[in-house]
Amino acid sequence: MAEEKTKTVKFSILEPDELSDEDMRLLEAAYEVRKNAQAPYSHYLVGAAVKTWNSDEIFTGCNVERASYTQTTHAEQSAVDAAVKKIGPKMKLKKVAIVSAPEGVEIPISFVEDLEWTIQFAHPFDPVDQPNVPCGHCMQIIWENCGGDDSVELLAIHQSGSITKTTIGDAFPWKFGPRDLGIE
Ligand code: THU
Ligand code: ZN
């Protein structure tokens, strides 16, 4: 009989008070940049924000669709590329935040302007059965800049308002990456 190998993957649903200041800032940046998404075809708006180990700067991206469809840029890809553009090829990701939902969906969170960088969650969370994660194409893009670190966090706000957290290792358990090409 064939030998079976298994890997357990996990995610968590966070309460707002479990978010660090850094988590809040990243989620807010992703929430804000999502408003600039250009998605006239899918009407699905995605915002992404990344924190790196190289600096304190937050880099953001949103999806940009083209009529040719396949030339669409994904939000996570755009945020990662913005970080590489500023930092260079040694850019190492620390954390990725994603906010995505169809256009017109009122994500049940609101911001308090006079409390700098503070997100307020308006409703209790709906339980979700999977974390909000990037597509496979974006997971590959993220993995290339994780420096082999499986524990890079993927933080997201689901359209229900639930905050989910997982890691690149859990979301993308079996990877093809730089190591396969002999590059550490
Ligand atoms: N999209 C992203 O920006 N990131 C993902 O990882 C999932 C999909 C965008 C692409 C397209 O503009 C829209 O969401 C629907 O697929
Ligand atoms: Zn993607």
Side-chain angles (χ1 to χ4, degrees):
M1 212 172 75
E3 188 191 353
E4 205 170 68
K5 305 258 191 193
T6 59
K7 190 167 184 177
T8 305
V9 297
K10 47 189 181 353
F11 79 101
S12 39
I13 301 175
L14 302 184
E15 297 292 334
D17 63 8
E18 294 177 280
L19 293 169
S20 66
D21 217 46
E22 180 178 78
D23 293 345
M24 284 283 205
R25 284 169 187 265
L26 265 191
L27 284 173
E28 179 160 11
Y31 180 89
E32 284 298 319
V33 72
R34 177 178 171 270
K35 294 176 184 166
N36 287 346
Q38 173 179 304
Y41 308 107
S42 73
H43 301 283
Y44 188 78
L45 313 185
V46 187
V50 305
K51 191 80 190 279
T52 75
W53 292 104
N54 310 77
S55 76
D56 278 338
E57 205 173 334
I58 289 175
F59 299 93
T60 61
C62 60
N63 53 329
V64 182
E65 297 182 349
R66 338 278 173 182
S68 50
Y69 284 26
T70 52
Q71 285 167 306
T72 291
T73 312
H74 290 203
E76 298 87 334
Q77 174 177 22
S78 168
V80 167
D81 289 1
V84 172
K85 192 172 78 177
K86 183 74 185 287
I87 293 165
K90 294 214 182 315
M91 188 278 285
K92 189 173 172 310
L93 291 168
K94 184 179 182 194
K95 204 173 272 197
V96 178
I98 303 153
V99 180
S100 58
E103 198 173 11
V105 167
E106 196 66 46
I107 303 172
I109 59 176
S110 60
F111 295 94
V112 181
E113 296 290 345
D114 55 346
L115 290 177
E116 200 193 348
W117 291 107
T118 301
I119 299 176
Q120 274 211 335
F121 291 81
H123 297 295
F125 303 142
D126 290 339
V128 286
D129 56 13
Q130 70 153 63
N132 189 6
V133 287
C135 77
H137 163 86
C138 290
M139 298 236 238
Q140 181 68 38
I141 287 169
I142 290 166
W143 178 241
E144 294 281 333
N145 285 84
C146 288
D149 179 3
D150 250 5
S151 68
V152 171
E153 284 178 357
L154 306 180
L155 191 65
I157 301 176
H158 189 265
Q159 66 184 74
S160 66
S162 288
I163 313 162
T164 63
K165 189 160 155 173
T166 187
T167 65
I168 189 72
D170 284 317
F172 189 35
W174 312 111
K175 300 174 266 295
F176 178 84
R179 247 172 229 177
D180 296 289
L181 304 181
I183 298 159
E184 283 305 316

